[in-house]
Amino acid sequence: MRWLAATTLGTSLLTGAAAQAQAPQAAPQPPATQASVSQATVSQVKLGYDTYAAGIEVMQMQVALGLGPWTYQVDVNYHTTGLVGLFYRGSQVNAVRGVWQDDQAAPLEFSGDGVWRGRARRTLIEYEHGQPQVRVLQPPQETEREPVPTELQLHTMDTLSALAQLMRRVEREHSCDTSVRTYDGRRVLEVSARTGGSERLEPTDRSTFSGPTLRCDFEGRALAGFLIGDTNPEHRQPLRGSAWFAPAVPGAPTLPVRIAFQTRWFGLATMYLTSAAPTVTPTEVARAPRP
Protein backbone atom coordinates (compact mmCIF):
# COMPACT_ATOMS: atom_id res chain seq x y z
CA MET A 1 0.00 0.00 0.00
CA ARG A 2 2.77 2.46 0.84
CA TRP A 3 4.56 1.82 -2.45
CA LEU A 4 1.29 2.43 -4.32
CA ALA A 5 0.74 5.63 -2.36
CA ALA A 6 4.18 6.86 -3.45
CA THR A 7 3.47 6.09 -7.10
CA THR A 8 0.04 7.70 -6.94
CA LEU A 9 1.50 10.77 -5.23
CA GLY A 10 4.13 11.07 -7.94
CA THR A 11 1.48 10.95 -10.64
CA SER A 12 -0.63 13.41 -8.68
CA LEU A 13 2.31 15.78 -8.50
CA LEU A 14 2.06 16.07 -12.25
CA THR A 15 -1.70 16.31 -12.46
CA GLY A 16 -1.93 18.54 -9.42
CA ALA A 17 0.42 21.17 -10.78
CA ALA A 18 -2.29 22.90 -12.68
CA ALA A 19 -4.19 25.68 -10.95
CA GLN A 20 -3.92 29.41 -11.17
CA ALA A 21 -0.73 31.03 -9.92
CA GLN A 22 -2.52 32.73 -7.06
CA ALA A 23 -4.22 30.89 -4.19
CA PRO A 24 -7.03 28.73 -5.63
CA GLN A 25 -10.46 30.29 -5.71
CA ALA A 26 -13.74 28.52 -6.31
CA ALA A 27 -15.17 29.27 -9.74
CA PRO A 28 -18.91 29.81 -10.09
CA GLN A 29 -20.52 26.48 -10.97
CA PRO A 30 -23.09 26.24 -13.77
CA PRO A 31 -26.11 24.01 -13.13
CA ALA A 32 -25.58 20.49 -14.47
CA THR A 33 -29.16 19.75 -15.47
CA GLN A 34 -30.41 17.38 -18.15
CA ALA A 35 -31.34 20.37 -20.25
CA SER A 36 -27.75 21.57 -20.26
CA VAL A 37 -26.46 18.24 -21.60
CA SER A 38 -26.15 17.95 -25.36
CA GLN A 39 -24.29 16.04 -28.03
CA ALA A 40 -20.99 17.59 -29.02
CA THR A 41 -18.02 16.41 -31.00
CA VAL A 42 -14.99 16.58 -28.74
CA SER A 43 -11.41 16.18 -29.96
CA GLN A 44 -10.07 13.02 -28.33
CA VAL A 45 -6.43 12.10 -27.72
CA LYS A 46 -5.39 8.69 -26.45
CA LEU A 47 -2.04 8.29 -24.70
CA GLY A 48 -0.11 5.33 -23.33
CA TYR A 49 2.61 5.38 -20.66
CA ASP A 50 4.96 2.83 -19.11
CA THR A 51 6.46 3.53 -15.68
CA TYR A 52 9.87 2.28 -14.57
CA ALA A 53 11.46 2.27 -11.11
CA ALA A 54 14.79 0.72 -10.09
CA GLY A 55 15.27 -0.36 -13.71
CA ILE A 56 12.08 -2.44 -13.99
CA GLU A 57 8.63 -1.74 -15.38
CA VAL A 58 6.12 -1.30 -12.56
CA MET A 59 2.98 0.22 -14.14
CA GLN A 60 1.19 0.75 -17.45
CA MET A 61 -1.29 3.59 -17.98
CA GLN A 62 -3.77 4.60 -20.67
CA VAL A 63 -5.14 8.16 -20.79
CA ALA A 64 -8.05 9.46 -22.90
CA LEU A 65 -8.41 13.24 -23.13
CA GLY A 66 -11.51 14.98 -24.47
CA LEU A 67 -10.89 18.72 -24.59
CA GLY A 68 -13.68 20.82 -26.06
CA PRO A 69 -14.22 24.59 -26.23
CA TRP A 70 -16.66 24.53 -23.28
CA THR A 71 -16.10 21.14 -21.64
CA TYR A 72 -13.45 18.55 -20.86
CA GLN A 73 -13.29 14.85 -20.00
CA VAL A 74 -10.29 12.84 -18.76
CA ASP A 75 -10.20 9.06 -18.30
CA VAL A 76 -7.21 7.23 -16.81
CA ASN A 77 -6.77 3.44 -16.66
CA TYR A 78 -3.67 1.90 -15.05
CA HIS A 79 -2.44 -1.36 -13.55
CA THR A 80 0.72 -2.72 -11.96
CA THR A 81 3.10 -4.88 -13.99
CA GLY A 82 6.27 -6.94 -13.60
CA LEU A 83 7.42 -7.97 -10.14
CA VAL A 84 5.23 -5.34 -8.54
CA GLY A 85 2.23 -6.83 -10.36
CA LEU A 86 3.10 -10.27 -9.00
CA PHE A 87 3.36 -9.17 -5.38
CA TYR A 88 0.92 -6.24 -5.41
CA ARG A 89 -1.68 -6.79 -8.10
CA GLY A 90 -3.96 -3.86 -8.75
CA SER A 91 -5.86 -1.87 -11.37
CA GLN A 92 -7.62 1.49 -11.31
CA VAL A 93 -9.95 3.52 -13.55
CA ASN A 94 -10.47 7.22 -12.80
CA ALA A 95 -12.63 9.66 -14.76
CA VAL A 96 -13.75 13.28 -14.58
CA ARG A 97 -16.06 15.52 -16.56
CA GLY A 98 -16.18 19.26 -16.18
CA VAL A 99 -16.56 22.66 -17.80
CA TRP A 100 -14.24 25.58 -18.56
CA GLN A 101 -14.92 28.83 -16.74
CA ASP A 102 -12.58 31.70 -17.63
CA ASP A 103 -9.96 29.12 -18.70
CA GLN A 104 -10.19 27.41 -15.30
CA ALA A 105 -11.26 23.79 -14.90
CA ALA A 106 -14.50 23.41 -12.94
CA PRO A 107 -15.17 19.70 -12.34
CA LEU A 108 -18.73 18.39 -12.20
CA GLU A 109 -18.08 14.79 -11.22
CA PHE A 110 -15.02 12.65 -10.44
CA SER A 111 -15.10 8.87 -10.07
CA GLY A 112 -12.60 6.16 -9.28
CA ASP A 113 -13.00 2.37 -9.37
CA GLY A 114 -10.23 -0.10 -8.66
CA VAL A 115 -9.27 -3.45 -7.22
CA TRP A 116 -6.08 -3.75 -5.16
CA ARG A 117 -5.01 -7.07 -3.65
CA GLY A 118 -8.50 -8.34 -4.35
CA ARG A 119 -10.20 -5.49 -2.46
CA ALA A 120 -12.54 -3.11 -4.27
CA ARG A 121 -11.93 0.63 -3.92
CA ARG A 122 -14.50 3.20 -5.09
CA THR A 123 -14.74 6.98 -5.05
CA LEU A 124 -17.44 9.33 -6.29
CA ILE A 125 -17.15 13.09 -5.83
CA GLU A 126 -19.75 15.56 -7.06
CA TYR A 127 -19.16 19.31 -7.02
CA GLU A 128 -21.73 21.79 -5.72
CA HIS A 129 -20.94 25.44 -6.35
CA GLY A 130 -17.32 24.43 -6.92
CA GLN A 131 -16.96 22.50 -3.65
CA PRO A 132 -16.33 18.73 -3.48
CA GLN A 133 -19.04 16.50 -2.01
CA VAL A 134 -17.89 12.90 -1.42
CA ARG A 135 -20.84 10.63 -2.27
CA VAL A 136 -19.08 7.26 -2.25
CA LEU A 137 -15.85 6.21 -0.52
CA GLN A 138 -15.06 2.51 -0.26
CA PRO A 139 -13.41 1.45 1.97
CA PRO A 140 -14.39 4.23 4.41
CA GLN A 141 -11.78 6.85 5.30
CA GLU A 142 -11.73 5.95 8.99
CA THR A 143 -10.58 2.38 8.27
CA GLU A 144 -7.29 3.49 6.69
CA ARG A 145 -6.60 7.19 6.95
CA GLU A 146 -7.00 10.15 9.23
CA PRO A 147 -10.01 12.39 8.44
CA VAL A 148 -9.56 15.40 6.18
CA PRO A 149 -10.88 18.60 7.80
CA THR A 150 -13.65 20.27 5.83
CA GLU A 151 -11.75 23.54 5.59
CA LEU A 152 -8.91 21.77 3.76
CA GLN A 153 -11.32 20.31 1.22
CA LEU A 154 -12.52 23.75 0.16
CA HIS A 155 -11.18 25.34 -3.03
CA THR A 156 -9.64 22.07 -4.25
CA MET A 157 -10.05 20.15 -7.49
CA ASP A 158 -9.47 16.55 -8.48
CA THR A 159 -6.12 15.65 -10.00
CA LEU A 160 -7.52 14.90 -13.48
CA SER A 161 -9.12 18.33 -13.75
CA ALA A 162 -5.77 19.75 -12.71
CA LEU A 163 -4.10 17.83 -15.54
CA ALA A 164 -6.53 19.27 -18.10
CA GLN A 165 -5.96 22.78 -16.77
CA LEU A 166 -2.18 22.41 -16.75
CA MET A 167 -2.14 21.41 -20.41
CA ARG A 168 -4.35 24.39 -21.25
CA ARG A 169 -1.96 26.71 -19.38
CA VAL A 170 1.19 25.27 -20.96
CA GLU A 171 -0.40 25.40 -24.41
CA ARG A 172 -1.58 29.02 -24.12
CA GLU A 173 1.13 30.61 -21.94
CA HIS A 174 4.14 28.30 -22.32
CA SER A 175 4.42 28.42 -18.54
CA CYS A 176 3.71 26.13 -15.59
CA ASP A 177 4.34 28.48 -12.63
CA THR A 178 1.44 27.42 -10.41
CA SER A 179 0.25 26.48 -6.93
CA VAL A 180 -2.80 24.33 -6.18
CA ARG A 181 -4.42 21.97 -3.69
CA THR A 182 -5.90 18.69 -4.90
CA TYR A 183 -8.34 16.39 -3.11
CA ASP A 184 -9.14 12.82 -4.17
CA GLY A 185 -11.62 11.99 -1.41
CA ARG A 186 -8.87 10.66 0.86
CA ARG A 187 -5.94 13.08 0.86
CA VAL A 188 -5.20 16.75 0.28
CA LEU A 189 -1.97 17.61 -1.52
CA GLU A 190 -0.38 21.03 -1.88
CA VAL A 191 1.60 21.25 -5.09
CA SER A 192 3.74 24.03 -6.48
CA ALA A 193 5.37 24.09 -9.89
CA ARG A 194 7.76 26.32 -11.79
CA THR A 195 8.88 26.52 -15.37
CA GLY A 196 12.19 24.71 -15.78
CA GLY A 197 12.88 25.90 -19.32
CA SER A 198 13.33 24.30 -22.71
CA GLU A 199 14.99 20.90 -22.82
CA ARG A 200 15.56 18.29 -25.50
CA LEU A 201 14.75 14.64 -24.73
CA GLU A 202 17.07 12.18 -26.40
CA PRO A 203 15.72 8.99 -28.04
CA THR A 204 15.16 5.96 -25.82
CA ASP A 205 13.71 2.52 -26.52
CA ARG A 206 11.28 3.11 -23.62
CA SER A 207 9.46 5.95 -25.36
CA THR A 208 8.08 6.87 -28.77
CA PHE A 209 8.95 10.55 -28.25
CA SER A 210 12.19 12.49 -28.56
CA GLY A 211 12.78 16.15 -29.28
CA PRO A 212 12.34 19.64 -27.77
CA THR A 213 10.12 20.04 -24.71
CA LEU A 214 9.12 22.44 -21.95
CA ARG A 215 10.21 21.11 -18.54
CA CYS A 216 8.06 21.79 -15.49
CA ASP A 217 9.60 21.15 -12.04
CA PHE A 218 7.23 20.48 -9.14
CA GLU A 219 7.10 19.78 -5.43
CA GLY A 220 4.21 18.18 -3.59
CA ARG A 221 3.40 17.88 0.09
CA ALA A 222 0.57 15.93 1.73
CA LEU A 223 -1.47 18.15 4.08
CA ALA A 224 -4.11 15.75 5.39
CA GLY A 225 -5.39 12.20 5.09
CA PHE A 226 -2.29 10.44 6.42
CA LEU A 227 -2.29 6.68 7.01
CA ILE A 228 -3.49 5.85 10.51
CA GLY A 229 -0.57 5.01 12.77
CA ASP A 230 2.10 6.28 10.37
CA THR A 231 4.30 8.47 12.55
CA ASN A 232 7.40 8.43 10.35
CA PRO A 233 8.28 12.13 9.84
CA GLU A 234 9.96 11.34 6.51
CA HIS A 235 6.57 10.39 5.06
CA ARG A 236 5.41 13.99 5.57
CA GLN A 237 8.32 15.53 3.71
CA PRO A 238 7.71 16.90 0.20
CA LEU A 239 8.41 14.86 -2.92
CA ARG A 240 9.82 16.42 -6.08
CA GLY A 241 9.84 15.70 -9.77
CA SER A 242 9.70 17.03 -13.32
CA ALA A 243 7.32 16.75 -16.26
CA TRP A 244 8.20 17.40 -19.91
CA PHE A 245 5.55 18.75 -22.33
CA ALA A 246 5.55 18.78 -26.12
CA PRO A 247 3.08 18.72 -29.07
CA ALA A 248 3.32 14.94 -29.54
CA VAL A 249 0.14 14.72 -31.66
CA PRO A 250 -0.36 17.16 -34.58
CA GLY A 251 -3.30 19.44 -33.90
CA ALA A 252 -3.64 18.37 -30.26
CA PRO A 253 -2.68 20.39 -27.16
CA THR A 254 0.79 20.23 -25.69
CA LEU A 255 0.94 16.87 -23.88
CA PRO A 256 3.04 15.34 -21.08
CA VAL A 257 5.60 13.13 -22.83
CA ARG A 258 7.65 12.15 -19.76
CA ILE A 259 7.24 12.42 -15.98
CA ALA A 260 9.94 11.72 -13.38
CA PHE A 261 9.17 11.75 -9.65
CA GLN A 262 10.64 10.69 -6.35
CA THR A 263 9.45 7.68 -4.37
CA ARG A 264 10.51 6.84 -0.84
CA TRP A 265 11.17 3.18 -1.62
CA PHE A 266 12.62 2.88 -5.14
CA GLY A 267 14.20 6.28 -5.61
CA LEU A 268 13.32 7.92 -8.92
CA ALA A 269 10.43 6.58 -10.99
CA THR A 270 9.83 7.68 -14.60
CA MET A 271 6.76 7.53 -16.83
CA TYR A 272 7.52 7.33 -20.56
CA LEU A 273 5.09 8.10 -23.37
CA THR A 274 4.67 4.93 -25.44
CA SER A 275 1.76 5.84 -27.73
CA ALA A 276 -0.23 8.91 -28.78
CA ALA A 277 -3.08 9.06 -31.29
CA PRO A 278 -5.94 11.48 -32.04
CA THR A 279 -9.55 10.40 -32.52
CA VAL A 280 -12.85 12.25 -32.85
CA THR A 281 -15.79 10.76 -30.97
CA PRO A 282 -19.37 12.03 -30.51
CA THR A 283 -19.53 12.37 -26.73
CA GLU A 284 -22.37 13.40 -24.50
CA VAL A 285 -20.95 16.17 -22.34
CA ALA A 286 -22.34 18.88 -20.10
CA ARG A 287 -21.96 22.18 -21.93
CA ALA A 288 -21.48 25.40 -20.05
CA PRO A 289 -23.77 28.20 -21.21
CA ARG A 290 -22.20 30.60 -23.66
CA PRO A 291 -21.60 34.13 -22.44
Side-chain angles (χ1 to χ4, degrees), residues 160-191:
L160 299 186
S161 292
L163 169 61
Q165 185 167 294
L166 176 58
M167 290 192 298
R168 195 174 178 94
R169 181 178 178 85
V170 170
E171 173 74 15
R172 296 190 174 193
E173 301 182 25
H174 204 63
S175 170
C176 46
D177 296 336
T178 59
S179 178
V180 66
R181 288 185 179 181
T182 65
Y183 176 55
D184 63 1
R186 300 185 184 276
R187 298 172 303 158
V188 173
L189 304 180
E190 185 172 60
V191 183

Side-chain angles (χ1 to χ4, degrees), residues 37-235:
V37 177
S38 61
Q39 289 288 336
T41 300
V42 179
S43 175
Q44 298 277 342
V45 180
K46 295 184 178 181
L47 309 172
Y49 297 90
D50 287 352
T51 301
Y52 291 80
I56 61 173
E57 184 184 82
V58 297
M59 184 176 69
Q60 293 181 345
M61 176 182 291
Q62 300 294 319
V63 180
L65 300 171
L67 305 177
W70 303 285
T71 67
Y72 66 91
Q73 295 183 184
V74 184
D75 297 86
V76 175
N77 185 330
Y78 61 93
H79 63 273
T80 56
T81 60
L83 291 176
V84 171
L86 289 176
F87 293 102
Y88 193 92
R89 185 178 301 275
S91 62
Q92 184 75 25
V93 177
N94 293 337
V96 70
R97 62 185 182 91
V99 298
W100 297 113
Q101 294 184 343
D102 297 327
D103 283 338
Q104 305 299 319
L108 299 174
E109 181 180 280
F110 169 84
S111 63
D113 288 276
V115 178
W116 296 93
R117 286 183 174 175
R119 188 179 188 186
R121 306 182 69 84
R122 295 190 60 208
T123 304
L124 176 63
I125 302 176
E126 296 177 342
Y127 292 80
E128 295 182 356
H129 306 290
Q131 306 304 339
Q133 305 293 325
V134 179
R135 305 303 189 193
V136 178
L137 197 63
Q138 178 187 351
Q141 180 81 350
E142 60 270 17
T143 64
E144 296 181 338
R145 294 181 176 273
E146 298 173 357
V148 176
T150 302
E151 59 269 21
L152 289 182
Q153 300 176 27
L154 301 178
H155 311 308
T156 61
M157 68 173 65
D158 68 279
T159 55
L160 299 186
S161 292
L163 169 61
Q165 185 167 294
L166 176 58
M167 290 192 298
R168 195 174 178 94
R169 181 178 178 85
V170 170
E171 173 74 15
R172 296 190 174 193
E173 301 182 25
H174 204 63
S175 170
C176 46
D177 296 336
T178 59
S179 178
V180 66
R181 288 185 179 181
T182 65
Y183 176 55
D184 63 1
R186 300 185 184 276
R187 298 172 303 158
V188 173
L189 304 180
E190 185 172 60
V191 183
S192 60
R194 61 183 178 83
T195 305
S198 300
E199 188 170 309
R200 182 176 184 83
L201 294 180
E202 298 301 323
T204 172
D205 58 4
R206 293 182 177 178
S207 177
T208 57
F209 178 87
S210 62
T213 67
L214 176 69
R215 192 187 82 238
C216 298
D217 300 323
F218 51 77
E219 176 180 285
R221 180 192 300 271
L223 299 181
F226 297 99
L227 288 172
I228 295 174
D230 184 2
T231 59
N232 189 335
E234 292 185 1
H235 295 170

